[in-house]
Amino acid sequence: MTDRVAVALLCPLLTFACAVAAPSADLEKRIVAVAEAVTPSVVHIQAILKFDDRRNEVTGSGLIVTADGAILTNEHVVDDAEKITVSVPGRKRKYSARLIGTDRQTDIALLRIDPDADHPLTAARLSSDPVHVGQWVLAIGNP
């Protein structure tokens, strides 16, 4: 294959790859808006797990789903934890969390913290719209 043929074959592929890789300005603005809206509800979770005679710290992210302190996180982060603490964006203190329930099959856990009475939590605005295979998702964690 000559160099000229190789270039002729690669140009359309490179053009397609560049078009797919470069998001539109509108899409970028929408992603930034979603990130800004949800970030105050994304918390950092620390769990202390005991293995034999050792204790290990496991960390993960969670999402505040109600202003009274319900938080969704991953089951594998808090499973068998002796102690769970939650750091909320913009707050200096860490909150002690209680494990309310888990579902190992879907890797979901529900925690509860007691927020300060004078400073309510910012719950994420969740949608009840159905989700479809092939839709875009945006993962936001803390840290």
Side-chain angles (χ1 to χ4, degrees), residues 43-44 46 71 83-89 91-98 112-117 119-121:
V43 297
H44 182 242
Q46 295 170 297
I71 297 171
K83 180 180 179 183
I84 304 168
T85 56
V86 174
S87 299
V88 177
R91 313 257 178 122
K92 292 183 180 179
R93 71 176 277 225
K94 292 182 180 182
Y95 296 85
S96 179
R98 297 180 309 282
R112 169 120 5 231
I113 63 173
D114 295 320
D116 304 324
H119 199 67
L121 298 171

Side-chain angles (χ1 to χ4, degrees), residues 20-44:
V20 170
S24 70
D26 181 53
L27 176 60
E28 187 174 276
K29 287 178 186 175
R30 290 171 55 194
I31 290 172
V32 168
V34 168
E36 288 174 349
V38 77
T39 297
S41 303
V42 179
V43 297
H44 182 242

Side-chain angles (χ1 to χ4, degrees), residues 7-28:
V7 170
L9 291 174
L10 285 177
C11 282
L13 291 175
L14 291 173
T15 303
F16 175 75
C18 291
V20 170
S24 70
D26 181 53
L27 176 60
E28 187 174 276

Side-chain angles (χ1 to χ4, degrees), residues 36-58:
E36 288 174 349
V38 77
T39 297
S41 303
V42 179
V43 297
H44 182 242
I45 296 171
Q46 295 170 297
I48 304 298
L49 287 81
K50 185 177 179 182
F51 296 107
D52 297 323
D53 291 335
R54 298 182 323 175
R55 285 184 171 72
N56 292 322
E57 180 182 77
V58 177

